[in-house]
Amino acid sequence: MRHSVLSLILGFLLMAGCQAQHQKNKQAAMARWQAARASLHVDMARQQFEHGELPKAAKTLEGVLAKNPDYPEAHLLLGRIRLEQDRLPEAQKSLQTAVDLNGRLHQGWYYLGICRERTGQFDQALDHYRQAWDLQTGHLPYLLAMAQTLALQRNYQAGLDLITDQLPSVQRDAAVYLTAGDLLHALDRPDEAVDMYRQAHLIEPQNQAVTEALAFTLYRIGRPQEALELFQELSRTAGDRSRSLRSTYELARGDCHLQLQQYHQAQRCYEQVTGDDPMNATAWKRLAQSHLVRKKWPPAEQAARRALSLDSQDTEALLVVGYAVLEQGDISSAEATFRQVIQ
């Protein structure tokens, strides 16, 4: 009898244990299912975000977070969406929650740094970028973000030191050399900046920003022939995309020709710009100067007066008018013009 009772008790205990284990298994399965479902919805939100459907992506993520409030990747993506929508306080809140939940989420620190940078909190932005870099050393956007934030603080040398220290270890990337060149330019070291821009140009010869930086810096340091070739390339590629951009490069080409004393070629460049952009006062002034050095007094005066009609305070154009009318024998008009320049 006693044996039967013990067997019955053991049976009840085993049954209770099995039921408890079954409940635990059921809860674990439910948790796995919810996690998988949340992951699928986050992936869907990510696709919506990448296709520019920001409100739809945000709504998807809000649904995920209503059931899974401790999902750091969902907070991270929602923060990126709010950042894209320029809703900075909401973006910062979501991103801060993401890194609070998972401190090793390097993207969270990076985008949180962008929030701080946009609100002018440069010291905090720099700290966040450093945390991202420490977690993902070698990821160039984080390095560049640190250097550019130091530049915003006018701490150009520190930004340059940061990049040059990492140059031996980071992969060859045009953006690194371009940023180093910009920092050298800000430090008024254009010759060294040219070396950096050349490295960037070797890596990405089709990169417009790199070619432009190299061309303008070469012109600045008095190497117009080298700059001219780059401006010709830029003008040719910009022609199909943007007339205003082509005008900028044609104006620069003209200035190179002017420095090289190739006055007729300079004139043709300036005429191209005034044809494309008749309201460009600088182009009319440069055209007047190219006529003046060739002693073509009437067209020099005409172009300079056109420049003055667009910018009455341009003393260089006024000087061209004065010289042109003087050479044409109108001494009283020349004297009046030069008095205007002095005033």
Side-chain angles (χ1 to χ4, degrees):
M1 182 68 178
R2 181 179 296 176
H3 179 73
S4 299
V5 171
L6 286 173
S7 298
L8 188 62
I9 291 170
L10 285 172
F12 277 123
L13 289 173
L14 284 170
M15 187 182 297
C18 289
Q19 287 177 341
Q21 187 61 45
H22 176 71
Q23 186 63 28
K24 287 180 181 179
N25 291 343
K26 185 178 178 181
Q27 290 172 348
M30 179 64 71
R32 287 195 297 272
W33 179 79
Q34 286 181 339
R37 189 169 181 271
S39 178
L40 286 172
H41 279 81
V42 170
D43 287 342
M44 183 172 70
R46 188 173 289 109
Q47 290 176 9
Q48 291 167 338
F49 172 64
E50 289 169 357
H51 285 90
E53 300 173 326
L54 303 187
K56 190 181 290 187
K59 188 174 181 180
T60 301
L61 290 167
E62 285 166 354
V64 171
L65 290 169
K67 296 180 179 178
N68 302 270
D70 295 336
Y71 199 146
E73 286 78 9
H75 286 288
L76 169 62
L77 186 53
L78 184 59
R80 288 184 63 190
I81 291 167
R82 297 310 184 205
L83 188 59
E84 195 74 21
Q85 293 173 322
D86 206 30
R87 293 162 63 171
L88 296 181
E90 295 170 68
Q92 188 169 315
K93 182 179 178 182
S94 292
L95 293 165
Q96 187 65 59
T97 302
V99 296
D100 286 344
L101 290 168
N102 181 0
R104 299 194 62 77
L105 208 59
H106 56 89
Q107 285 187 322
W109 291 113
Y110 172 67
Y111 288 110
L112 194 55
I114 292 176
C115 282
R116 297 288 193 182
E117 184 182 319
R118 287 192 186 176
T119 54
Q121 299 171 293
F122 299 129
D123 288 334
Q124 295 94 323
L126 194 57
D127 286 341
H128 294 329
Y129 291 145
R130 282 202 178 102
Q131 284 172 292
W133 173 258
D134 289 342
L135 289 167
Q136 193 77 1
T137 304
H139 191 57
L140 293 182
Y142 302 164
L143 175 65
L144 296 177
M146 287 188 286
Q148 288 158 2
T149 304
L150 287 165
L152 287 171
Q153 296 176 302
R154 299 184 183 277
N155 199 348
Y156 305 120
Q157 188 59 56
L160 181 62
D161 292 342
L162 183 67
I163 286 188
T164 51
D165 286 347
Q166 295 296 330
L167 273 178
S169 58
V170 299
Q171 65 187 60
R172 282 172 58 80
D173 188 285
V176 176
Y177 291 99
L178 179 62
T179 303
D182 290 343
L183 290 164
L184 285 162
H185 210 291
L187 289 164
D188 199 26
R189 291 155 61 181
D191 292 282
E192 295 173 72
V194 161
D195 294 336
M196 289 295 179
Y197 292 144
R198 280 200 189 283
Q199 288 292 330
H201 193 252
L202 285 170
I203 297 167
E204 287 188 32
Q206 305 303 318
N207 187 315
Q208 178 188 323
V210 169
T211 307
E212 188 177 290
L214 178 57
F216 278 111
T217 309
L218 284 168
Y219 176 81
R220 178 188 171 188
I221 64 175
R223 291 157 68 175
Q225 185 61 58
E226 296 171 76
L228 180 60
E229 295 170 9
L230 295 168
F231 284 128
Q232 286 172 334
E233 175 191 334
L234 286 164
S235 179
R236 184 172 57 253
T237 55
D240 298 332
R241 296 181 289 108
S242 169
R243 180 175 292 185
S244 62
L245 197 57
R246 182 177 67 180
S247 293
T248 299
Y249 298 139
E250 284 297 308
L251 194 61
R253 279 186 65 206
D255 291 349
C256 289
H257 283 303
L258 210 58
Q259 271 202 16
L260 293 164
Q261 300 182 356
Q262 298 168 345
Y263 303 124
H264 184 63
Q265 293 95 319
Q267 177 187 324
R268 284 189 296 182
C269 290
Y270 299 139
E271 286 173 342
Q272 174 74 51
V273 179
T274 55
D276 286 344
D277 183 10
M279 304 302 289
N280 191 319
T282 302
W284 285 108
K285 177 177 67 177
R286 293 283 196 274
L287 179 58
Q289 291 168 338
S290 68
H291 284 309
L292 190 73
V293 293
R294 298 175 68 206
K295 300 183 179 180
K296 294 184 176 295
W297 315 123
E301 180 189 354
Q302 183 181 7
R305 289 194 184 280
R306 184 67 181 272
L308 286 167
S309 72
L310 297 166
D311 181 4
S312 61
Q313 302 302 311
D314 193 328
T315 53
E316 289 182 34
L318 201 57
L319 273 171
V320 173
V321 171
Y323 281 119
V325 296
L326 179 64
E327 291 294 340
Q328 292 175 86
D330 191 345
I331 297 173
S332 61
S333 292
E335 183 180 352
T337 303
F338 291 137
R339 286 187 183 279
Q340 279 184 269
V341 173
I342 293 168
Q343 289 170 359

